[in-house]
Amino acid sequence: MIRIILFLLLIALAAAGAAWLADQPGDLVLNWGGLRLTSKQPMYLLGLVIVVAMVAGVILRGLWKIPGHIRRGRRERRHARGRHAITQGLLAIGHGDSSAARAHAEVARRHAGGDPLALLLHAQSAQLDGDRDGAQRAFRAMAERPDTRLLGLRGLFIEAQRADDPVAAVMIAEEALKMSPSSSWASHAVLGFCCAKGDWAGALSIIDNNQAAGLIDKATYRRQRGVLLTARALEFETVDRDLSRSSAMEALKLAPTLIPAAVLAARFESEAHQVRRSMRIVETAWLAQPHPDLADAYSHVRLGDSARQRLVRVETLAAKTPGHIEGALAIARAAIDAAEFAKARAALEPFVAAPTQRVALLMAEVERTEHGDSGRARAWTLRAVRALHDPVWTADGYVSDRWRPVSPVTGRLDAFQWQTPVAALPSDKGHAIEPSPFEEAMLAPRRVEPPKAVASEPEVAEPVEARVEVKSVEPAAPPVQDNAPLPATIEADPAPVPADPPAPEPAPPPAAESAPPAPAPLFRSRSDLPKAAPAPIPAVIPIVRAPDDPGVDEDGAVDEFAEQIGPPKAQIGGWRGFLSRLGS
């Protein structure tokens, strides 16, 4: 609005000035060579003079600026060529063409040597060619410039990592972190180095800087700080108990579901006779994720308890997550310690069909401890070899026997998770190891048959096989040694048939009579395995020929050397040959 008012005001002033000049009396005469201009109205001639002066000024100004325009055009063309070379070079690096990238880098260096992207192209083309010295020179040149210093430090850090020089890499990362506290790669590198050398104070300060710089949110900050405090508490557990206890309690406040923090804090509370508080700590973490360490800490929350008291406490904890395998395993472990084998079997029963390795090993321990049955224990141990894997602490494909704060593969904080390893997940391929008949027989359910009643009548001559079967069904006394033959097995050998039977009975088949006595079995017989009637073996095996079998040539072998060697005789022709053939 103000601009419009000013524009109208200027127009009004110009009109007033023009009117004032027009009202002034006099003549305006212009003599230039043979040209004479005379005007009664000086306004028009003055306007013409002004226009000519303006045109002349424009022409002179254009002539004055021509060299500058030429220089600017040449500079813009060089810059455009350099930009084009940089673009094509980066695209060549993207699809892995090292020769094209190197050629474009040279063009970019000639036409746009001061461009930061030209330096970056030169460094990356050197990296693609494997020229580490050239890449380092390019990154050092970038690190010396204020606008590309951070990018140059990042390149030098990567080159130090490739050269397997962790000291130089950490020094470069620390310098970059001082220059830019919000640099995520520098903070990640320095944090991993601090955790590797056990500098938990430095790691905690980096976490605080990351939270202040906005690199992580509040929930992630609490979790990562709890992880670092837990690591410090575990390291100083046997060195500085007070520092370890304070770190564990602070970590528990920040991350109540962190399993190592909960286990360590519960242990400290148990030592301080704070049983209820220790139980609440373990229950909170157990509801988030059941873990065997939590079950062990919960069972030993009160020092000096008996095995049965620990079993009752573990059953209470497992009831909070019904149907979970960790609860069943914890109950089975406590039941075995308390000699409650029926409870152990009942807890493991839902997981026996498709057991994991821990389930199979616990079943083997139950069989060995309860019955002393080493056969079934060995069968369960063999089954554990190809059973499903249990969850373990894994991070980036690395499997560890204990929890760690940082992944040893990538250096990532809080990377370890309690889960089944990727390599142990089931696939659609068949098992590499097929179940053996011995294992299936050993793992068959126990079956105890009542002994058969024996008639009081005098025993007559009966088949040997029937007598052996009756004696094998009777329960035998447990042997002292697994491979020792049983008395019942020795009695099961065929006895001689009396020569004069008291009553005429049908004689057994001749094949059974002529069969030799069987040797004593190598393994003892079991009453819980089904018995199959032995098939009679005939004394003489008849030779049966196939319909298309010509049989054995009874004429004997033909001596090929006894035959006549030479061309066969020619056949007689004519009526003599006809008569000879007719007579034959």
Side-chain angles (χ1 to χ4, degrees):
M1 186 65 182
I2 298 176
R3 292 181 179 180
I4 296 175
I5 294 175
L6 292 176
F7 180 72
L8 295 176
L9 183 60
L10 290 176
I11 291 176
L13 292 176
W20 179 80
L21 287 176
D23 293 340
Q24 297 299 323
D27 297 334
L28 181 62
V29 180
L30 177 61
N31 291 323
W32 186 20
L35 181 63
R36 180 181 175 85
L37 298 177
T38 304
S39 176
K40 297 295 184 180
Q41 298 293 334
M43 180 62 185
Y44 301 108
L45 190 57
L46 181 61
L48 180 61
V49 171
I50 294 174
V51 170
V52 171
M54 291 177 63
V55 171
V58 170
I59 293 173
L60 292 175
R61 184 179 179 183
L63 293 175
W64 180 264
K65 290 185 176 180
I66 284 176
H69 286 294
I70 294 175
R71 289 193 300 268
R72 189 181 303 111
R74 294 175 62 182
R75 186 168 57 251
E76 288 179 356
R77 285 193 298 270
R78 289 174 59 87
H79 186 70
R81 291 174 185 173
R83 285 283 181 174
H84 179 74
I86 291 172
T87 303
Q88 297 301 321
L90 293 177
L91 292 177
I93 289 174
H95 57 74
D97 191 353
S98 60
S99 60
R102 185 169 55 254
H104 289 299
E106 292 297 329
V107 175
R109 185 179 59 83
R110 289 197 308 267
H111 295 285
D115 197 330
L117 293 179
L119 296 175
L120 178 62
L121 176 61
H122 184 68
Q124 290 191 348
S125 63
Q127 285 181 335
L128 189 61
D129 285 338
D131 185 8
R132 292 184 176 179
D133 295 336
Q136 289 181 0
R137 286 194 301 267
F139 284 125
R140 287 195 188 97
M142 295 173 66
E144 292 175 358
R145 297 180 50 166
D147 54 346
T148 59
R149 180 173 177 78
L150 191 61
L151 184 58
L153 291 176
R154 175 68 184 277
L156 292 175
F157 171 77
I158 294 175
E159 288 300 322
Q161 283 186 327
R162 290 182 177 179
D164 197 12
D165 190 358
V167 178
V170 171
M171 292 176 61
I172 294 170
E174 290 177 350
E175 185 177 356
L177 189 62
K178 293 177 182 178
M179 179 180 176
S180 176
S182 61
S183 180
S184 59
W185 65 269
S187 63
H188 178 77
V190 177
L191 178 62
F193 179 75
C194 291
C195 294
K197 69 178 183 179
D199 185 10
W200 307 116
L204 291 172
S205 65
I206 294 175
I207 291 295
D208 296 338
N209 293 335
N210 291 343
Q211 199 272 339
L215 297 178
I216 54 177
D217 54 1
K218 188 175 182 179
T220 306
Y221 166 73
R222 292 174 60 88
R223 175 75 180 187
Q224 292 184 355
R225 185 174 177 82
V227 168
L228 293 176
L229 290 172
T230 303
R232 185 171 69 178
L234 290 173
E235 181 178 352
F236 289 96
E237 182 180 4
T238 58
V239 179
D240 191 347
R241 300 282 293 181
D242 295 335
L243 179 60
S244 177
R245 177 183 174 84
S246 62
S247 300
M249 293 305 171
E250 185 179 356
L252 185 66
K253 293 179 181 178
L254 295 173
T257 60
L258 186 60
I259 295 175
V263 171
L264 191 57
R267 192 181 306 163
F268 282 121
E269 293 293 342
S270 175
E271 293 176 358
H273 303 288
Q274 301 292 333
V275 178
R276 293 185 179 274
R277 187 179 301 175
S278 177
M279 293 174 65
R280 285 197 300 268
I281 292 172
V282 175
E283 290 171 357
T284 302
W286 178 270
L287 292 175
Q289 184 177 17
H291 192 272
D293 292 345
L294 294 173
D296 183 71
Y298 198 82
S299 62
H300 295 86
V301 69
R302 182 181 287 109
L303 304 179
D305 283 354
S306 63
R308 294 184 181 275
Q309 290 175 336
R310 293 197 299 269
L311 174 60
V312 173
R313 191 176 298 114
V314 169
E315 289 177 344
T316 304
L317 180 64
K320 297 182 181 298
T321 55
H324 201 280
I325 187 173
E326 291 295 343
L329 292 173
I331 292 176
R333 178 71 269 168
I336 292 174
D337 295 339
E340 296 286 345
F341 301 106
K343 289 186 178 181
R345 291 180 182 273
L348 298 177
E349 182 65 26
F351 308 99
V352 169
T356 63
Q357 294 180 349
R358 292 165 60 196
V359 171
L361 292 177
L362 285 176
M363 286 298 299
E365 187 174 354
V366 168
E367 294 292 346
R368 185 183 299 106
T369 308
E370 182 181 8
H371 300 292
D373 194 343
S374 59
R376 295 178 69 89
R378 285 196 303 270
W380 276 111
T381 306
L382 292 176
R383 193 172 181 182
V385 173
R386 58 177 170 271
L388 300 176
H389 287 255
D390 293 282
V392 290
W393 289 113
T394 60
D396 301 321
Y398 179 84
V399 178
S400 175
D401 57 345
R402 58 184 178 87
W403 176 85
R404 297 183 181 183
V406 181
S407 170
V409 180
T410 60
R412 183 164 52 94
L413 185 63
D414 192 23
F416 277 91
Q417 302 293 329
W418 181 255
Q419 59 187 3
T420 304
V422 178
L425 294 178
S427 63
D428 54 353
K429 298 182 180 180
H431 296 287
I433 304 177
E434 299 295 336
S436 61
F438 168 75
E439 180 185 342
E440 294 179 354
M442 286 292 101
L443 299 181
R446 295 179 177 273
R447 183 183 63 185
V448 180
E449 297 181 359
K452 295 183 179 180
V454 182
S456 60
E457 298 179 358
E459 183 179 359
V460 295
E462 56 183 359
V464 179
E465 291 81 4
R467 191 181 309 173
V468 172
E469 182 178 357
V470 171
K471 290 189 177 183
S472 62
V473 173
E474 295 179 359
V480 180
Q481 188 177 357
D482 291 343
N483 57 356
L486 295 177
T489 307
I490 298 175
E491 293 178 2
D493 295 340
V497 182
D500 298 330
E505 293 292 338
E513 290 180 359
S514 60
L522 184 60
F523 298 98
R524 69 178 187 275
S525 60
R526 296 189 51 113
S527 60
D528 57 344
L529 299 179
K531 299 296 182 179
I537 302 176
V540 179
I541 301 177
I543 299 177
V544 181
R545 297 179 180 175
D548 56 348
D549 187 3
V552 182
D553 190 4
E554 298 178 357
D555 295 337
V558 180
D559 189 3
E560 59 180 354
F561 297 101
E563 297 181 357
Q564 182 180 1
I565 301 176
K569 296 181 179 181
Q571 189 176 2
I572 303 175
W575 62 271
R576 292 182 180 180
F578 174 77
L579 292 178
S580 63
R581 289 193 295 273
L582 183 62
S584 60

